[in-house]
């Protein structure tokens, strides 16, 4: 396993576009978060806004780049035929997939941490001037605050789980474009359905099982009782989606020809 992890890290590190895409995750997430923080307003006391969640809005956009990076981890090898060389050097396919997942998770945890810290910093700087201040009942964003820390840690884990979900999908379908389409559909079609469906119970159920709405519940720091699903339970739903994708991809990877 150690040799497989080292090989996958070498491939990821030396791949030309990977570094740029990882910077894209950080830049996109931080830029969108800063943009939302600079335009959000709290004109009165207890205006109802969630300052922490507003500061982390960029995660919704950054996850798209995360999905692309994760899909390309194995998709590029199928596109170029390098997967045959990989499996010749390391015939144990589950070990190969586990190594890819390990390296991908480590890289995404680092990129996610930087993205989240940059997003919260922009919120801490920009939001007070827009009314999210002590006069309106908001303390400055700080990781010493339990709910904010939970939202920050959860957002980092969210990005890592999106990466694993995407890796599993790409392993299953063996085509980068198809895999990206599947992942984006899973992430964004459910929120659209919740707006199309008029029954409130069905809306709530869809939000409870959907990977993005459920997973991003971990960012909420106010009005938790009104959420369709609890913060950590929602992240658990996303973890289940990622596990199913990886297990399905792994079974197909092991049972068919490269």
């Amino acid at each position: 396993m150690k040799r497989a992890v080292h090989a996958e890290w070498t491939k990821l590190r030396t791949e030309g576009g990977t570094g740029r895409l990882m910077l894209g995750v950080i830049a996109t997430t931080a830029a969108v978060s800063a943009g939302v923080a600079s335009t959000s307003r709290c004109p009165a006391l207890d205006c109802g806004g969630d300052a922490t969640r507003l500061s982390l809005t960029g995660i919704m956009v950054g996850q798209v780049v995360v999905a692309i990076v994760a899909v390309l981890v194995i998709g590029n090898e199928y596109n170029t035929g390098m997967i045959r060389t990989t499996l010749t050097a390391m015939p144990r396919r589950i070990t190969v997939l586990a190594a890819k997942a390990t390296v991908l998770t480590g890289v995404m945890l680092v990129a996610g941490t930087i993205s989240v810290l940059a997003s919260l910093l922009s919120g801490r700087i920009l939001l007070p001037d827009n009314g999210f201040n002590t006069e309106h009942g908001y303390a400055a964003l700080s990781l010493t605050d339990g709910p904010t820390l939970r939202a920050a840690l959860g957002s980092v884990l969210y990005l890592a789980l999106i990466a694993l979900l995407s890796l599993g999908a790409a392993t299953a379908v063996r085509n980068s474009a198809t895999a990206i389409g599947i992942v984006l559909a899973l992430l964004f079609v459910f929120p659209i359905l919740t707006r199309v469906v008029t029954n409130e119970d069905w809306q709530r159920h869809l939000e409870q099982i959907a990977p993005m709405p459920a997973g991003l519940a971990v960012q909420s720091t106010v009005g938790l009782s009104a959420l369709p699903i609890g913060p950590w339970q929602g992240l658990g739903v996303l973890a289940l989606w990622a596990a199913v994708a990886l297990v399905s991809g792994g079974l197909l990877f092991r049972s068919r020809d490269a």
Side-chain angles (χ1 to χ4, degrees):
M1 181 65 180
K2 184 177 180 180
R3 186 164 64 91
V5 169
H6 178 73
E8 293 303 326
W9 165 243
T10 301
K11 283 190 283 187
L12 187 66
R13 179 171 52 84
T14 56
E15 181 67 33
T18 302
R20 291 189 294 273
L21 285 172
M22 296 309 299
L23 289 175
V25 171
I26 298 169
T28 301
T29 303
V32 172
S33 295
V36 171
S38 66
T39 56
S40 298
R41 297 289 184 271
C42 181
L45 181 67
D46 295 328
C47 59
D50 189 333
T52 300
R53 187 158 193 167
L54 285 172
S55 299
L56 295 171
T57 304
I59 297 294
M60 292 182 64
V61 181
Q63 68 180 336
V64 176
V65 188
V66 167
I68 293 171
V69 173
V71 164
L72 293 180
V73 164
I74 194 167
N76 274 344
E77 292 196 49
Y78 276 115
N79 294 340
T80 62
M82 275 294 296
I83 191 67
R84 297 183 182 89
T85 303
T86 296
L87 295 179
T88 299
M90 183 63 64
R92 295 181 178 178
R93 299 188 177 202
I94 298 303
T95 300
V96 171
L97 182 58
K100 288 182 181 295
T102 300
V103 171
L104 181 63
T105 300
V107 170
M108 286 305 170
L109 288 176
V110 173
T113 299
I114 297 172
S115 301
V116 166
L117 290 177
S119 297
L120 289 176
L121 179 60
S122 66
R124 181 182 175 89
I125 294 171
L126 297 171
L127 286 176
D129 291 335
N130 296 335
F132 292 88
N133 48 42
T134 54
E135 294 179 2
H136 291 162
Y138 289 90
L141 292 180
S142 173
L143 291 177
T144 60
D145 176 58
T148 299
L149 178 61
R150 183 251 300 150
L153 292 175
S155 295
V156 174
L157 293 174
Y158 176 88
L159 290 178
L161 289 171
I162 291 296
L164 293 177
L165 171 63
S166 304
L167 176 64
T171 305
V173 302
R174 301 192 293 186
N175 180 277
S176 297
T178 302
I180 292 170
I182 290 172
V183 173
L184 295 184
L186 282 174
L187 294 178
F188 294 104
V189 168
F190 275 101
I192 295 173
L193 287 177
T194 59
R195 285 161 176 77
V196 174
V197 174
T198 56
N199 185 284
E200 292 184 1
D201 290 334
W202 276 104
Q203 286 179 344
R204 188 176 183 86
H205 291 323
L206 285 171
E207 290 175 342
Q208 288 171 337
I209 65 172
M212 184 170 73
L216 288 179
V218 78
Q219 294 182 343
S220 297
T221 61
V222 298
L224 300 186
S225 61
L227 293 175
I229 191 169
W232 290 119
Q233 292 90 333
L235 201 65
V237 169
L238 176 59
L240 183 60
W241 277 94
V244 169
L246 277 175
V247 170
S248 301
L251 291 175
L252 290 170
F253 190 44
R254 187 176 64 176
S255 64
R256 65 192 178 192
D257 295 335

